[in-house]
Amino acid sequence: MITLAHISDLHFGRENPRLIEGLLHCLEKTTPQLVVISGDLTQRARKREFLAARTFLERLSWPYLVIAGNHDIPAYNLSERFFTPWKRWHRYLDHPLEPIVRAEEYIAVGVNTARRSGSLFDWSRGRVNLEQLDVIAQHFEKGGDEKLRILVAHHPFWLPEEYRHRHIIGGRDKALKKMRDAGVDIILSGHVHSAYTHLLGGLIVSHAGTAISNRLTRNDPNSFTIIRGDRRRLAIETWTWNNKKFSIDEHLVFTRIQGEWKDNS
């Protein structure tokens, strides 16, 4: 059985130091084999925010997979945004935009869904293209049948009704078909600062809220998730902040039957 921690939307520049310490304390207790960080490490992609994010990553005692989000592209320096959008990411964090972590029990693949611009003025929206999907599928095809297959994206593949105005990821339907064919088990994402877990076409979509920032959505508290299990059974815990500490707020259990995940909670 493996243990994964999923945190998202750190937004350094709007972080709460108490939450950082509370999060690290919980991770010390759960000792994950992998910490997944699904984007928006910074608030405005400023140097000092990237440096704060780097300091946080250096404090992690566990292997981690980190991807970027739409906030990790400069918002106001349009020249840099259009021509070198990831210059600061590479300079200050020096992590690949589409990382891969392989272990005996799992394979985790990150996809960069943030874009420098879009057809609409809302450039916060994300998408995934066919070239990316082909590369992702190839990575998963190299994994063994018993390995848990995890896709990490910043933008959501599904949203509850109250958040539909935030929009799902562009290219979602083609991506889901490709991911089902590649045997993906779970998609981890962020972006809207609300925690939920949902079954979508036999896959698990697990969404983390903002772990440590004060950019809360409506009444959603700061949160992160802990995932335990293997390719046959997964337990997903949502940990939320209660102004003193993080504690388990929801516990869901899923089992995989004939290649599809079912809710056994």
Side-chain angles (χ1 to χ4, degrees), residues 78 155-156 191 240 249:
L78 295 184
H155 292 86
H191 187 56
T240 59
D249 184 55

Side-chain angles (χ1 to χ4, degrees), residues 27 68 112 122 142 165 168 177 191 198 209-210 214 231 237 258:
L27 295 180
N112 181 20
D122 182 3
K142 296 176 182 178
H165 65 283
I168 60 172
K177 182 181 185 306
H191 187 56
H198 179 75
T210 174
N214 59 17
R231 209 172 187 210
E237 302 167 350
Q258 296 181 342

Side-chain angles (χ1 to χ4, degrees), residues 38-42 44-46 50 66-75 77-99 111-117 123-127 129 132 153-155:
S38 57
D40 278 0
L41 275 72
T42 67
R44 291 297 178 203
R46 297 184 176 98
F50 274 117
V66 56
I67 63 168
N70 53 286
H71 275 263
D72 299 317
I73 302 175
N77 185 331
L78 295 184
S79 175
E80 187 172 334
R81 182 181 184 94
F82 283 109
F83 296 107
T84 56
W86 302 111
K87 181 177 70 174
R88 300 185 191 190
W89 175 272
H90 291 302
R91 175 181 294 173
Y92 299 117
L93 296 186
D94 193 28
H95 285 290
L97 290 170
E98 299 194 320
V111 58
N112 181 20
T113 61
R115 298 293 186 263
R116 69 191 77 190
S117 64
W123 292 347
S124 71
R125 298 189 191 184
R127 62 182 182 270
N129 60 42
Q132 288 176 300
H154 178 63
H155 292 86

Side-chain angles (χ1 to χ4, degrees), residues 49-216:
E49 295 168 357
F50 274 117
L51 292 176
R54 187 170 75 187
T55 297
F56 172 80
L57 294 176
E58 289 171 349
R59 294 185 67 185
L60 297 180
S61 303
W62 316 271
Y64 61 83
L65 180 152
V66 56
I67 63 168
N70 53 286
H71 275 263
D72 299 317
I73 302 175
Y76 303 117
N77 185 331
L78 295 184
S79 175
E80 187 172 334
R81 182 181 184 94
F82 283 109
F83 296 107
T84 56
W86 302 111
K87 181 177 70 174
R88 300 185 191 190
W89 175 272
H90 291 302
R91 175 181 294 173
Y92 299 117
L93 296 186
D94 193 28
H95 285 290
L97 290 170
E98 299 194 320
I100 306 158
V101 178
R102 291 186 176 90
E104 183 178 349
E105 304 93 344
Y106 65 85
I107 176 170
V109 178
V111 58
N112 181 20
T113 61
R115 298 293 186 263
R116 69 191 77 190
S117 64
S119 58
L120 300 172
F121 188 72
D122 182 3
W123 292 347
S124 71
R125 298 189 191 184
R127 62 182 182 270
V128 61
N129 60 42
L130 291 176
E131 181 181 357
Q132 288 176 300
L133 294 175
D134 287 340
V135 172
I136 293 167
Q138 290 171 16
H139 289 310
F140 285 122
E141 287 166 2
K142 296 176 182 178
D145 288 341
E146 295 303 312
K147 290 186 179 184
L148 186 69
R149 301 181 184 196
I150 307 158
L151 177 66
V152 184
H154 178 63
H155 292 86
F157 280 67
W158 180 86
L159 285 169
E161 185 65 33
E162 62 267 31
Y163 297 113
R164 294 285 168 83
H165 65 283
R166 297 295 306 276
H167 303 286
I168 60 172
I169 188 171
R172 195 270 311 261
D173 292 343
K174 291 181 179 178
L176 281 177
K177 182 181 185 306
K178 194 81 170 180
M179 294 306 97
R180 281 196 296 267
D181 291 345
V184 169
D185 295 299
I186 186 169
I187 300 174
L188 305 180
S189 56
H191 187 56
V192 299
H193 299 191
S194 178
Y196 60 80
T197 300
H198 179 75
L199 284 174
L200 187 64
L203 282 69
I204 303 171
V205 174
S206 186
H207 193 98
T210 174
I212 61 171
S213 87
N214 59 17
R215 299 186 70 246
L216 299 177

